[in-house]
């Protein structure tokens, strides 16, 4: 095997338990995008076993996959556009977000003897999904054939806890909740908090929080909130690879496409058989691998199927040895945070983009 992503399910459980305790309320475990690259079904099962009350996905097909795997917990899918198979959602007891009168009418029309379960998504200031201009046109008659389970919105700047926009969004959310109550729907789940708000804004917990990146042991923002370790989170994924080749090269040897870098001294280079086809960002620089207690940085451009690291002249590494691409900072390894920074991106993108050519290996405990 050339590479593998080891997913520590005990870390998922630890993080869910920590986050639910911090929230003091119900918790929706966000498992969209193949559980942020960690594996939809195993992660969903681990989260539920740790006390998650709901599962959340973006797409209806993700929710259907959970049901087909035998998972019967409440599931919310929030990017289900008009034209989707609402009848299938109703049949499988999948709760669906609605953000427009058109979507509401379509899912209402799909309801027969069994009503669709919906969550009203409202735009409180992010200007992305959710009711906004149509909100004042919503009447009780629009809601006759559906069961209103919840109302929710999404913070734009929860990872910046002192920003006024957070309190503005909470005020707007409360106003929109009050309107739903006026329409006669008072027994609804209110949910607004993402991972950052769950960790830093207890007042926004309402009836349920939605935890995504923190559930995987990664900080929503290492600059404003702190790293995983300071937040008490355990990173759940370790990405490993086997060295494809180790070779000695002299100083001033150009490396990779475009000869963008050259060796500064006689050294050993290690070739990792992973590239941007596997989710390693082509733009990455100032990241690399960890082997035998030492970090070895990338040198040259990342290719489609491989990248090169400078192991150093004294390295004892040899072809076939396993190295850590990213893992846990407490071990001295590069982290998903490091790779995010090295790619002018974020840790979310690093773990989510690891491609299907890299098998996921599930372990009860890694760190």
């Amino acid at each position: 095997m050339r590479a593998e992503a080891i997913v520590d399910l005990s870390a998922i459980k630890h993080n869910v338990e920590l986050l639910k305790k911090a929230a003091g309320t119900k918790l929706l475990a966000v498992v969209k995008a193949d559980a942020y690259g960690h594996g939809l079904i195993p992660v969903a099962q681990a989260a539920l076993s740790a006390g998650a009350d709901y599962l959340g996905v973006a797409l209806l097909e993700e929710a259907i996959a959970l049901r087909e795997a035998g998972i019967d917990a409440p599931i919310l899918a929030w990017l289900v556009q008009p034209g989707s198979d609402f009848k299938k959602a109703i049949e499988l007891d999948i709760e669906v977000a609605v953000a427009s009168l058109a979507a509401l009418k379509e899912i209402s029309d799909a309801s027969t003897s069994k009503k669709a379960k919906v969550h009203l998504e409202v735009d409180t200031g992010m200007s992305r999904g959710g009711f906004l201009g149509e909100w004042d046109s919503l009447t009780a008659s629009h809601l006759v054939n559906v069961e209103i389970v919840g109302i929710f919105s999404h913070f734009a700047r929860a990872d910046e806890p002192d920003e006024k926009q957070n309190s503005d969004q909470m005020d707007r959310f409360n106003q929109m909740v009050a309107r739903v109550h006026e329409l006669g729907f008072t027994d609804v789940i209110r949910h607004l908090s993402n991972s950052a708000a769950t960790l830093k804004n207890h007042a926004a917990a309402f009836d349920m929080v939605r935890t995504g990146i923190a559930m995987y042991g990664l900080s929503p923002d290492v600059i404003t909130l702190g790293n995983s370790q300071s937040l008490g989170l355990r990173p759940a994924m370790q990405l490993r690879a086997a060295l494809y080749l180790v070779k000695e090269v002299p100083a001033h040897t150009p490396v990779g496409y475009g000869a963008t870098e050259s060796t500064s001294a006689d050294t050993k280079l290690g070739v990792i058989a992973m590239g941007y086809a596997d989710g390693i960002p082509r733009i990455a620089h100032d990241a690399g691998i960890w082997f035998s207690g030492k970090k070895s940085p990338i040198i040259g451009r990342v290719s489609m199927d491989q990248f090169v690291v400078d192991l150093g002249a004294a390295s004892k590494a040899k072809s076939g040895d396993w190295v850590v691409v990213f893992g846990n900072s407490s071990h001295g390894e590069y982290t998903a945070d490091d790779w995010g920074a090295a790619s002018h991106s974020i840790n979310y993108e690093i773990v989510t983009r690891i491609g299907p050519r890299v098998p996921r290996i599930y372990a009860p405990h890694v760190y």
Side-chain angles (χ1 to χ4, degrees):
M1 188 180 297
R2 69 186 179 98
E4 61 187 16
I6 302 175
V7 178
D8 184 346
L9 295 177
S10 72
I12 298 287
K13 293 177 183 179
H14 164 83
N15 297 329
V16 168
E17 290 168 355
L18 181 149
L19 292 162
K20 186 166 182 178
K21 183 177 180 180
T25 187
K26 288 184 178 180
L27 181 143
L28 179 150
V30 181
V31 293
K32 64 179 180 177
D34 196 33
Y36 287 46
H38 292 66
L40 178 64
I41 305 305
V43 168
Q45 292 169 334
L48 291 170
S49 71
D53 303 277
Y54 258 79
L55 298 174
V57 295
L59 309 179
L60 181 56
E61 51 262 41
E62 295 171 318
I64 291 172
L66 289 167
R67 285 286 184 254
E68 290 177 343
I71 292 173
D72 59 5
I75 301 171
L76 170 62
W78 51 71
L79 275 179
V80 187
Q81 71 273 18
S84 297
D85 191 349
F86 289 114
K87 288 188 179 295
K88 185 77 169 179
I90 295 168
E91 173 193 335
L92 294 177
D93 204 29
I94 295 167
E95 298 171 20
V96 174
V98 292
S100 69
L101 293 178
L104 185 56
K105 182 180 187 307
E106 192 166 329
I107 195 167
S108 179
D109 289 346
S111 298
T112 53
S113 57
K114 185 177 182 180
K115 288 186 176 181
K117 294 181 178 180
V118 304
H119 292 236
L120 299 172
E121 182 184 7
V122 293
D123 184 356
T124 57
M126 193 170 183
S127 303
R128 197 176 64 175
F131 276 98
L132 187 60
E134 292 185 320
W135 184 248
D136 291 338
S137 302
L138 182 70
T139 66
S141 63
H142 291 114
L143 307 173
V144 170
N145 291 327
V146 296
E147 179 183 344
I148 306 300
V149 177
I151 178 171
F152 75 103
S153 189
H154 194 67
F155 278 120
R157 304 181 74 174
D159 55 352
E160 302 171 88
D162 296 329
E163 283 295 330
K164 183 176 179 294
Q165 186 172 349
N166 294 314
S167 58
D168 290 344
Q169 285 197 251
M170 285 184 64
D171 290 343
R172 178 62 176 152
F173 184 64
N174 281 320
Q175 293 168 12
M176 298 175 99
V177 168
R179 173 158 175 73
V180 172
H181 288 176
E182 289 169 4
L183 293 174
F185 302 93
T186 56
D187 187 19
V188 294
I189 300 171
R190 302 164 299 162
H191 48 114
L192 176 61
S193 289
N194 54 10
S195 287
T198 299
L199 290 163
K200 297 296 182 178
N201 187 355
H202 186 72
F206 291 100
D207 304 309
M208 184 166 71
V209 297
R210 303 185 307 270
T211 57
I213 195 68
M215 189 179 84
Y216 303 97
L218 300 175
S219 172
D221 191 306
V222 295
I223 296 173
T224 59
L225 301 181
N227 62 19
S228 300
Q229 194 169 358
S230 68
L231 294 171
L233 301 169
R234 285 169 46 193
M237 182 187 288
Q238 183 193 71
L239 182 64
R240 306 197 318 151
L243 283 168
Y244 167 71
L245 182 66
V246 174
K247 62 172 71 175
E248 296 181 1
V249 298
H252 313 301
T253 298
V255 182
Y257 284 119
T260 56
E261 288 187 86
S262 298
T263 57
S264 58
D266 293 356
T267 191
K268 291 179 182 175
L269 298 181
V271 181
I272 313 298
M274 295 184 72
Y276 56 78
D278 303 292
I280 302 298
R282 182 177 183 273
I283 196 175
H285 200 272
D286 296 327
I289 60 92
W290 181 93
F291 173 76
S292 189
K294 179 179 179 294
K295 288 180 175 178
S296 297
I298 292 174
I299 182 168
R301 287 179 180 163
V302 173
S303 303
M304 183 180 291
D305 306 298
Q306 52 195 300
F307 66 93
V308 181
V309 296
D310 188 342
L311 294 165
S315 177
K316 302 299 183 183
K318 59 185 183 302
S319 300
D321 283 342
W322 282 89
V323 301
V324 175
V325 180
F326 64 74
N328 195 321
S329 62
S330 65
H331 288 205
E333 301 161 354
Y334 284 100
T335 66
D337 297 324
D338 295 328
W339 275 89
S343 309
H344 308 292
S345 185
I346 54 177
N347 54 23
Y348 296 69
E349 183 176 356
I350 299 303
V351 293
T352 303
R353 71 187 294 167
I354 300 303
R357 300 199 307 184
V358 180
R360 273 59 171 174
I361 310 298
Y362 295 96
H365 187 78
V366 175
Y367 296 114

